[in-house]
Amino acid sequence: MKLQLKSIADRGDSHKERLVIRVIDDTDIGEFIAMRILYNETSVTTAVTDTFWFPDKSVKAGDLVVIYSRDGQSKVKNLEGGRTAHFFYWGLEAPVWSESTMGVVLAHAPDWEASMAGNLSPSAH
């Protein structure tokens, strides 16, 4: 995978709580989805509680991608060595990573299809 989950930082702090992801290879971050899921003992379940689909944006190897749980405006910050930190905001009303039964799945989804209920014409990407 072109991204690597590094940490869930400052769990439970409504202002600082965030996911930190390292970019391994150049990619479009818009091809990825972060999902908050429930764990049962030691494995992932299919109980997805929230999702964050990144907007289309090119990121480079060595960059950091940070998703704050709270509201905010996306921004970038230049780092040493020509790297960039890309900040996104999930828009959740409260911290979500403090429970030990919660986990995160980072999925690569470059191809997808969607359809509104009752609409027979799906749209694909």
Side-chain angles (χ1 to χ4, degrees), residues 5-73:
L5 287 167
K6 293 300 289 177
S7 67
I8 300 172
D10 293 308
R11 293 174 191 247
D13 182 323
S14 61
H15 188 69
K16 295 181 180 180
E17 183 180 80
R18 65 204 178 276
L19 294 175
V20 180
I21 300 165
R22 192 176 98 202
V23 180
I24 305 299
D25 290 316
D26 295 1
T27 192
D28 181 344
I29 194 73
E31 294 182 352
F32 293 84
I33 301 169
M35 295 174 272
R36 187 167 71 109
I37 53 90
L38 292 173
Y39 260 82
N40 67 1
E41 302 299 320
T42 59
S43 64
V44 194
T45 71
T46 57
V48 176
T49 59
D50 297 292
T51 60
F52 182 88
W53 199 339
F54 291 93
D56 290 332
K57 182 176 190 181
S58 294
V59 293
K60 303 229 179 265
D63 285 357
L64 293 177
V65 174
V66 178
I67 312 170
Y68 281 90
S69 299
R70 63 181 170 85
D71 274 335
Q73 295 293 322

Side-chain angles (χ1 to χ4, degrees), residues 66-123:
V66 178
I67 312 170
Y68 281 90
S69 299
R70 63 181 170 85
D71 274 335
Q73 295 293 322
S74 295
K75 57 188 169 191
V76 297
K77 178 181 178 184
N78 293 324
L79 304 173
E80 294 177 7
R83 298 176 308 130
T84 303
H86 304 267
F87 297 94
F88 299 95
Y89 296 83
W90 205 312
L92 301 172
E93 294 181 12
V96 295
W97 302 110
S98 56
E99 296 178 37
S100 62
T101 57
M102 298 309 299
V104 60
V105 169
L106 186 60
H108 187 218
D111 298 314
W112 53 273
E113 185 173 275
S115 180
M116 293 178 59
N119 184 348
L120 299 179
S121 302
S123 64

